[in-house]
Amino acid sequence: MGPLGRRSLLACLLSGAGTVTAAALLPPSIGAGTVRAAETTVARLARDPWDRVPAILARIRPPRFPRRRFDITRYGAVGDGTTKNTGAFRAAITACHRAGGGRVVVPPGRFLTGAIRLLSRVELHVEEGATVLFSTDPADYLPVVLTRWEGTECYNYSSFIHAHGQHDLAITGRGTLDGQGMDGPWKSWRDPGGNALADQAELRRMGTEGVPVEERVFGAGHHLRPNMIQFYRCRNILMRDITVLEPPMWTINPVLCRNVTLRDVDVIGRINNSDGVDPECTSDMLITGCRFHTEDDSIAVKSGRDEDGIRVGVPSRNIVVRNCVFSGRWGGIAVGSEMSGGVSEVFAEDCRINPLDFPGRYNPRHPVFIKTNKKRGGFIDGVYVRRFTGRAIDRDCIYLTTRYAGQQGTRPAVIRNIRIEDMVHDGARRAINLEGLDSDPFTGVHIERCRFTGITQPHVIGFTRDLTIRQVFVNGTEVVHP
């Protein structure tokens, strides 16, 4: 029997079987020097979470589709920007699905539609020069569907593109999905004097009190804005090359999904709460090469809100973010605040914040934004960020808080195992703001090899255990923390 390979050592280390030593893994005939080298390897793997990323990526495989083509114009679609094509989209998608799958093609033109329901084994391909233009009439997103709204389950307007319980789905092409979010009634619902806040409060009451989901019915006569794209309990999902404009609220929201890839997607939105991507109770997801210019967080990893999130109890985990551009108004990579089901193993690397070649309409606020409070419950365990570069933000480069929105409660507020490495940023209020609680201190926060310039206020470090700050420079001075 030869010595175990690196992958075998890692598998043993991560198996959860207890403490692992190299001596226990190797046969007696192996010499002491080999044992010491193997023990060094095991120790390194134990302290470097990035060695877990290849195994995550190996599980993330985009779906493949039969080479069948279903052009929506063959089903009566007219790309004049005024003819409503909801029926043509439905007919083309149904035909593709019944044939065993393939590509539903949107050719050049402007195709107005209401809700689009995706089915298994269907790739919606929007060609360059094509725009899918979503209706501004709320009635075009009825009947209501089972959904999550800001982390609480209910029945509400359909998202503009919706899939429930499907598999092998894709939205691709160099065309555009235009939600017309600023042109419809959606903004007026959220603005002062609108009724969205009353409906929001009622839904949250229902979630807190455990009202059965089938009785949480909104939609017509109510004012909870739909998300733009929501995959609900789906698997094997791909979005690639598409541009998504002007959502009515959150833009891309996979809920209770697994095996999801977003590659080279642009998201641009100006309405309140227009998060770019919100993976919610979702596992094994890759977001790479995407650009976000939104009025809220660029990427926000979530897992349900308060009692309802705890009831569902499914964490988001194994999320990998690479080579993205964050110019959204709030967080770049964010976790929370709706995270009551838990979040673990989020990896983000090689991303740019508010660059000159893709600047935000307003300066972003936090490249790294991790947020919860004692009302949420759940946990945030394992967020790893490296090689972020950025410029010109309004607030703090690294912001962790267990006091989000000032909400009070009695549940533990758990943020632990956070690692930030090799961040370079110019222009911010603070480099570091760790806003913890005496009752619930952060544990295992490590910030290393970072350089911050143009910082106007001193850092804040409150209620943190096992904090490491090494080779971190602010305005040329090294940060020394006891």
Side-chain angles (χ1 to χ4, degrees), residues 10 17 39 56 79 98 136 191 209 262 296 315 325 413 435 443 473:
L10 179 57
E39 287 177 340
I56 297 170
R98 289 177 176 172
T136 58
D191 283 347
E209 297 179 4
L262 267 65
D296 211 304
V325 176
E435 187 180 70
T443 58
F473 293 83

Side-chain angles (χ1 to χ4, degrees), residues 75-399:
Y75 297 86
V78 178
D80 59 5
T82 57
T83 301
K84 200 166 287 184
N85 297 291
T86 311
F89 275 99
R90 183 186 307 116
I93 289 169
T94 300
C96 179
H97 171 71
R98 289 177 176 172
R103 172 178 281 188
V104 172
V105 176
V106 183
R110 291 171 60 80
F111 293 88
L112 181 66
T113 185
I116 294 174
R117 309 286 172 85
L118 286 183
L119 300 174
S120 295
R121 299 182 297 278
V122 171
E123 174 189 1
L124 178 64
H125 183 78
V126 186
E127 292 185 335
E128 189 169 6
T131 297
V132 179
L133 195 66
F134 287 95
S135 169
T136 58
D137 183 354
D140 286 325
Y141 305 98
L142 295 172
V144 296
V145 299
L146 175 62
T147 183
R148 254 191 180 180
W149 197 89
E150 286 192 340
T152 302
E153 289 190 330
C154 65
Y155 286 83
N156 192 35
Y157 291 106
S158 171
S159 55
F160 291 4
I161 297 179
H162 186 77
H164 189 159
Q166 305 298 308
H167 62 86
D168 297 284
L169 305 164
I171 303 171
T172 66
R174 299 191 179 280
T176 300
L177 306 175
D178 187 348
Q180 301 196 96
M182 297 294 284
D183 298 326
W186 321 113
K187 188 174 186 302
S188 68
W189 291 4
R190 176 62 175 78
D191 283 347
N195 294 316
L197 294 181
D199 283 329
Q200 178 190 67
E202 175 64 3
L203 176 59
R204 291 181 181 172
R205 180 195 68 78
M206 291 175 166
T208 297
E209 297 179 4
V211 173
V213 175
E214 58 270 20
E215 297 178 18
R216 306 175 195 174
V217 181
F218 291 83
H222 296 274
H223 299 85
L224 296 181
R225 294 172 290 161
N227 295 335
M228 187 153 174
I229 301 168
Q230 187 179 72
F231 303 98
Y232 202 97
R233 292 191 182 275
C234 296
R235 68 182 192 274
N236 309 337
I237 300 163
L238 170 67
M239 290 186 66
R240 185 182 63 217
D241 296 331
I242 200 80
T243 296
V244 188
L245 303 179
E246 304 297 359
M249 203 174 104
W250 294 359
T251 310
I252 302 168
N253 180 211
V255 180
L256 295 161
C257 293
R258 60 184 171 89
N259 188 22
V260 183
T261 301
L262 267 65
R263 184 179 295 275
D264 300 330
V265 173
D266 282 0
V267 176
I268 299 173
R270 293 176 292 162
I271 205 166
N272 304 70
N273 313 113
S274 58
D275 295 9
V277 181
D278 296 278
E280 190 169 0
C281 302
T282 286
S283 61
D284 294 341
M285 182 169 184
L286 171 65
I287 305 170
T288 183
C290 299
R291 302 190 301 174
F292 302 95
H293 184 328
T294 63
E295 199 63 18
D296 211 304
D297 296 328
S298 293
I299 297 173
V301 183
K302 302 178 181 290
S303 63
R305 184 184 183 98
D306 300 342
E307 289 82 1
D308 206 57
I310 293 169
R311 175 185 64 83
V312 175
V314 176
S316 279
R317 58 190 178 187
N318 301 330
I319 312 291
V320 179
V321 179
R322 289 177 156 175
N323 300 308
C324 290
V325 176
F326 301 139
S327 296
R329 186 73 179 98
W330 279 88
I333 183 70
V335 179
S337 71
E338 300 89 350
M339 40 55 68
S340 300
V343 174
S344 65
E345 303 296 276
V346 177
F347 298 86
E349 63 181 346
D350 299 313
C351 295
R352 298 186 296 146
I353 314 300
N354 200 25
L356 290 172
D357 61 353
F358 194 75
R361 191 162 62 105
Y362 303 103
N363 288 341
R365 292 179 175 167
H366 309 290
V368 178
F369 188 13
I370 301 175
K371 45 187 170 174
T372 185
N373 57 48
K374 290 187 68 64
K375 193 172 189 300
R376 294 285 186 269
F379 58 87
I380 299 171
D381 186 355
V383 179
Y384 310 103
V385 176
R386 65 183 181 184
R387 299 193 298 268
F388 273 29
T389 60
R391 55 170 289 277
I393 65 167
D394 284 347
R395 297 190 184 176
D396 312 321
C397 296
I398 301 168
Y399 181 32

